[in-house]
Amino acid sequence: MEQHAVDPLPKGAVDSDVDLRVDGRDRRTPDPLLLSVIAAGGAIGATARYLVGLAWPAPPDGFPFGTLVVNIVGCGLIGILMVLVTDVFTQQRLIRPFAGTGVLGGFTTFSTYAVDIERLISERHAGTALLYLAATVVGALLAVRSTVTATRALIIRRSR
């Protein structure tokens, strides 16, 4: 029996961030422009998060409000971005990698979230850790849902 190579992306499909078959490029060959755009966005997002951390540091034994706010705001902005790149700016291939993967990926910090939870538990603040864990998940999901809904409603109203 003959085996055929299976294309992981059906003809015309687009990768979740970028169609890596643009301009006939091999999928394994990184696009220098794409990587530069993501890196620039990541530097901006990480710098913004760092500045929030300086302005609003987590107390050693308290609730990490700064990280909570960064993650909820970041998730809300991701909701807005996803509507804009799927409904408005559909032909702009670098917006999503720059703003989503780069800026918002550098801004949000779920690794710090995990470290904060571990720190709170190890310092015997399990109740605070549980509250932080739940508040972040619920807040992030509500932020995405509400910004997606609001952005779509604004787009529909403007198109009338």
Side-chain angles (χ1 to χ4, degrees):
M1 186 181 257
E2 202 175 305
Q3 289 187 348
H4 298 281
V6 177
D7 187 356
L9 294 174
K11 186 171 178 93
V14 176
D15 181 90
S16 63
D17 281 325
V18 174
D19 183 354
L20 297 177
R21 294 180 280 187
V22 172
D23 299 330
R25 292 180 193 266
D26 184 329
R27 287 181 232 188
R28 295 167 296 204
T29 305
D31 178 352
L33 176 61
L34 177 64
L35 294 176
S36 298
V37 163
I38 292 170
I44 293 167
T47 300
R49 177 174 31 105
Y50 175 74
L51 293 173
V52 170
L54 287 178
W56 199 354
D61 61 345
F63 196 90
F65 284 104
T67 304
L68 175 71
V69 170
V70 160
N71 285 332
I72 291 173
V73 168
C75 286
L77 292 172
I78 287 169
I80 294 168
L81 175 68
M82 297 303 14
V83 172
L84 293 177
V85 298
T86 58
D87 296 356
V88 180
F89 303 111
T90 58
Q91 300 302 312
Q92 305 298 321
R93 81 175 189 100
L94 296 177
I95 291 175
R96 185 172 172 178
F98 172 75
T101 305
V103 175
L104 296 173
F107 182 66
T108 57
T109 175
F110 285 91
S111 59
T112 300
Y113 163 70
V115 169
D116 287 341
I117 291 169
E118 189 278 327
R119 177 186 52 82
L120 288 166
I121 290 172
S122 69
E123 293 174 359
R124 303 196 187 283
H125 300 288
T128 303
L130 186 59
L131 176 63
Y132 177 51
L133 185 142
T136 300
V137 171
V138 170
L141 291 173
L142 287 174
V144 170
R145 184 66 188 147
S146 63
T147 57
V148 164
T149 302
T151 305
R152 283 218 168 101
L154 287 170
I155 290 170
I156 290 169
R157 188 167 24 149
R158 287 193 73 183
S159 66
R160 290 183 182 178

